[in-house]
Amino acid sequence: MVIVKNIQFTPKALGNDGAGGVRLRCRVFSAHDFSTIRKVWVDLRHTTLGNGVEISADDERVLKPSGEGDYVGEIPIPAGLEPGRYRIPVMAEDSTGARGRGLGTFMVSYRRRPDLPPVGSEVFLRGLEAVAGSIFTEGNEILALDSGSDALAARLSLIADSRRQVNLQTYALGGAGAGTRILDALIAKAEAGVAVNVLLNADTQLPFSPVSALRLKLNQFLSDLGRDAPEGPAPPETRPAARGRGRRRMGGVTTLMFNRNPLREEPEKDPALGRLKDHWLQKLQDAARRMKGETAEEETRTVSGAGPGGLPALPLLDYAVHEKILVSDGRLAVVGGRNLDDRYFSHWTDLDLLLSGPIVNHVQLGFLEGFAQTAKASSSHVRLPEELLDAEPPSPKGVRALFVQSRPWERRYDVMNAVVRAVEAARKRIFITSQFVVLPDCLLKDALMDAARRGVDVRIITNSQNTGQEVSFSAGYYLTIKYLEPFLAAGVRVFEVAGHPDPERPQ
């Protein structure tokens, strides 16, 4: 056994404006005779601070040759780090291979940098690229699809016009109505020789519509059988378009089901030491316990049946592919909020964007990365999609656009970082719509309240109790109410969608 004790972080609290770091001192001993301390390090894998930092012996306070005694190091605190209380394990290993762990804490508070350039300026755009991990493209055409009928028609049109490839990613694909129309269109294209690649969430898709997943998987099985059969002359409708390709095009459906468990690269687990929750998840569960009046001593206990922020333990409240992407021939794309279910096109308010221009290449690459990552993690022996990058050329009347993705299982929170940077740079107004407002102490909450206190007109539209019931998740409304008090105190204005009195009308 190795003992790590007397862990001290200095300072105990600091801001997240990038102005400094925290210094660490601890004491390490081994219970094994004649062993030496081989390594002491800080494990940061549950945070966005990196994998870890090795710390060094304080030569004046260490015994020789055992290496037992005091160790010192420093953890840099970058600008924009998620605020909150950080539980930091300090690990040590001796020459016998035995390990030990101690736990220290420090606080990071929100501190907006005063020198942020205004929204739209070139300096702002370059900074946004840096935190978003992507770059702006010029000359894009963007059409907002705020009508459900237009959003459905755009998707069906993109599928119908495809000649080589359709890539689809969604949180849920319905088995009736609009979902069936889209599914039928995809399968028809696959049977005509178009390569159809679909990425679905297993934990939401299977309870939502197992029939849709089964139809896709059956078509994939039949496609694979056809590919294994002796190849004869291609029927006319499956012959490749121009571009000088002489080979037969390989159509059919390839479907992958995203599973959050294999995608997450878990740190090596020591049975004696356990593993800490991710920083953001721990904060959400801390908030849920405070709402229940539980004490700090209970904070390490797992709440049975409860998810983050007090939400019910529904699937995918931790890691999910929540993006909705449709790309046709690498040329046109639809991205946005709508799942592929009737209610999203006929009964509920939502928003999508129809994209053309160079930004489509970025959307396509984003889909391909997620598809390949899911295939690798699930050990699925599937053919990966062709990297078809055939976006429309820049339009002289087009606009700048930035495509941003998150990969939370890799601790990449690029979407949140981009939104926070825009909030921090805002001078006049910030308008938001969101299904729920469940923000415990976190970077986005602090940035929004700071903006309101600076005089920015911050307004949020969210669901009422009535419309929350509409999506069979009225618990989200009651949680929202619990989290709104600090927003209102800061000057944020919150509006509830009342919904139509007639339950048959769009809500």
Side-chain angles (χ1 to χ4, degrees):
M1 181 174 66
V2 177
I3 300 168
V4 183
K5 59 186 292 187
N6 297 353
I7 298 173
Q8 297 177 342
F9 285 105
T10 309
K12 292 289 291 182
L14 74 168
N16 67 346
D17 54 0
V22 290
R23 296 178 299 279
L24 162 67
R25 178 177 289 273
C26 65
R27 187 158 294 169
V28 180
F29 292 96
S30 174
H32 300 93
D33 293 338
F34 309 112
S35 66
T36 59
I37 302 301
R38 185 159 56 187
K39 181 181 179 183
V40 182
W41 73 99
V42 180
D43 189 350
L44 300 172
R45 288 175 292 180
H46 63 300
T47 74
T48 58
L49 290 166
N51 289 326
V53 175
E54 190 165 348
I55 59 177
S56 306
D58 182 347
D59 290 336
E60 296 182 356
R61 302 176 67 88
V62 167
L63 299 173
K64 302 293 179 64
S66 69
E68 296 172 306
D70 286 5
Y71 284 74
V72 293
E74 184 168 346
I75 303 173
I77 302 299
L81 180 68
E82 178 72 23
R85 182 157 67 103
Y86 280 78
R87 300 163 172 83
I88 302 297
V90 181
M91 311 288 295
E93 182 178 279
D94 68 12
S95 55
T96 70
R99 287 184 176 185
R101 180 181 79 172
L103 201 64
T105 64
F106 60 84
M107 289 291 300
V108 174
S109 59
Y110 177 76
R111 192 175 297 166
R112 176 180 175 269
R113 287 154 292 165
D115 57 344
L116 287 172
V119 171
S121 67
E122 288 299 322
V123 178
F124 166 79
L125 297 177
R126 299 291 82 79
L128 194 61
E129 289 178 333
V131 299
S134 185
I135 60 171
F136 278 93
T137 61
E138 305 279 352
N140 302 285
E141 298 287 347
I142 300 178
L143 176 64
L145 303 171
D146 54 357
S147 158
S149 58
D150 290 345
L152 179 58
R155 286 174 168 85
L156 291 172
S157 176
L158 260 63
I159 295 171
D161 293 343
S162 62
R163 294 294 177 266
R164 297 171 61 191
Q165 183 189 78
V166 177
N167 293 331
L168 174 70
Q169 178 175 328
T170 188
Y171 191 66
L173 172 60
T180 296
R181 291 179 65 185
I182 291 171
L183 188 55
D184 288 345
L186 291 171
I187 291 176
K189 277 294 172 180
E191 291 173 347
V194 173
V196 175
N197 306 293
V198 181
L199 182 56
L200 300 172
N201 260 320
D203 285 355
T204 47
Q205 182 61 46
L206 296 178
F208 184 71
S209 178
V211 173
S212 297
L214 183 61
R215 286 188 63 193
L216 288 168
K217 283 293 189 181
L218 177 60
N219 193 281
Q220 178 175 336
F221 174 72
L222 296 175
S223 299
D224 291 342
L225 284 180
R227 280 191 287 272
D228 291 339
E231 186 174 321
E237 67 273 15
T238 65
R239 286 181 184 142
R243 297 183 167 271
R245 295 182 179 234
R247 62 179 177 82
R248 178 176 176 180
R249 191 173 36 184
M250 302 296 283
V253 174
T254 304
T255 303
L256 289 180
M257 306 291 285
F258 174 93
N259 185 325
R260 66 192 185 276
N261 292 322
L263 261 179
R264 169 72 185 277
E265 292 186 5
E266 293 283 3
E268 180 184 355
K269 183 175 180 179
D270 187 322
L273 304 177
R275 181 187 301 129
L276 285 183
K277 298 183 181 73
D278 277 2
H279 173 68
W280 68 270
L281 179 57
Q282 184 66 61
K283 285 175 57 177
L284 284 166
Q285 292 188 334
D286 287 350
R289 291 186 176 95
R290 287 198 301 270
M291 288 180 181
K292 296 177 180 179
E294 295 180 359
T295 63
E297 286 72 23
E298 298 172 286
E299 68 183 12
T300 57
R301 180 173 58 83
T302 299
V303 180
S304 176
L311 294 170
L314 298 176
L316 297 217
L317 286 176
D318 47 8
Y319 299 110
V321 172
H322 209 283
E323 297 165 317
K324 291 84 175 178
I325 292 174
L326 175 65
V327 185
S328 172
D329 288 340
R331 187 174 62 89
L332 298 171
V334 172
V335 299
R338 288 182 175 93
N339 283 303
L340 305 183
D341 175 77
D342 246 359
R343 295 165 293 181
Y344 287 88
F345 300 103
S346 63
H347 209 54
W348 295 343
T349 299
D350 218 316
L351 182 68
D352 295 308
L353 301 175
L354 175 62
L355 308 176
S356 64
I359 192 64
V360 175
N361 285 341
H362 291 233
V363 178
Q364 174 83 316
L365 288 171
F367 172 87
L368 295 174
E369 178 189 353
F371 198 89
Q373 191 179 44
T374 305
K376 180 180 178 181
S378 59
S379 300
S380 296
H381 300 290
V382 300
R383 58 187 183 122
L384 295 179
E386 178 186 0
E387 190 174 296
L388 185 57
L389 303 175
D390 198 20
E392 297 283 347
S395 165
K397 296 182 179 180
V399 298
R400 284 175 170 172
L402 179 73
F403 181 65
V404 189
Q405 292 182 289
S406 285
R407 292 282 187 264
W409 49 90
E410 297 176 355
R411 296 183 181 85
R412 280 174 45 194
Y413 308 111
D414 297 342
V415 172
M416 185 194 67
N417 292 335
V419 171
V420 168
R421 177 59 65 93
V423 167
E424 291 180 324
R427 301 289 195 272
K428 298 177 181 178
R429 63 185 68 88
I430 300 168
F431 294 168
I432 299 170
T433 63
S434 181
Q435 186 179 15
F436 314 122
V437 184
V438 181
L439 289 176
D441 296 337
C442 65
L443 187 61
L444 182 54
K445 173 186 175 182
D446 287 339
L448 287 168
M449 293 195 304
D450 174 77
R453 295 186 186 112
R454 291 187 283 114
V456 178
D457 181 7
V458 183
R459 309 184 195 186
I460 301 175
I461 298 177
T462 190
N463 279 313
S464 61
Q465 179 184 7
N466 180 45
T467 57
Q469 291 173 335
E470 176 72 23
V471 294
S472 304
F473 198 38
S474 56
Y477 170 76
Y478 295 108
L479 280 169
T480 292
I481 291 297
K482 292 182 178 181
Y483 283 105
L484 286 186
E485 184 176 348
F487 282 102
L488 300 175
V492 175
R493 291 193 282 172
V494 181
F495 300 83
E496 293 183 0
V497 177
H500 199 282
D502 181 354
E504 298 304 316
R505 298 287 297 276
Q507 300 295 312

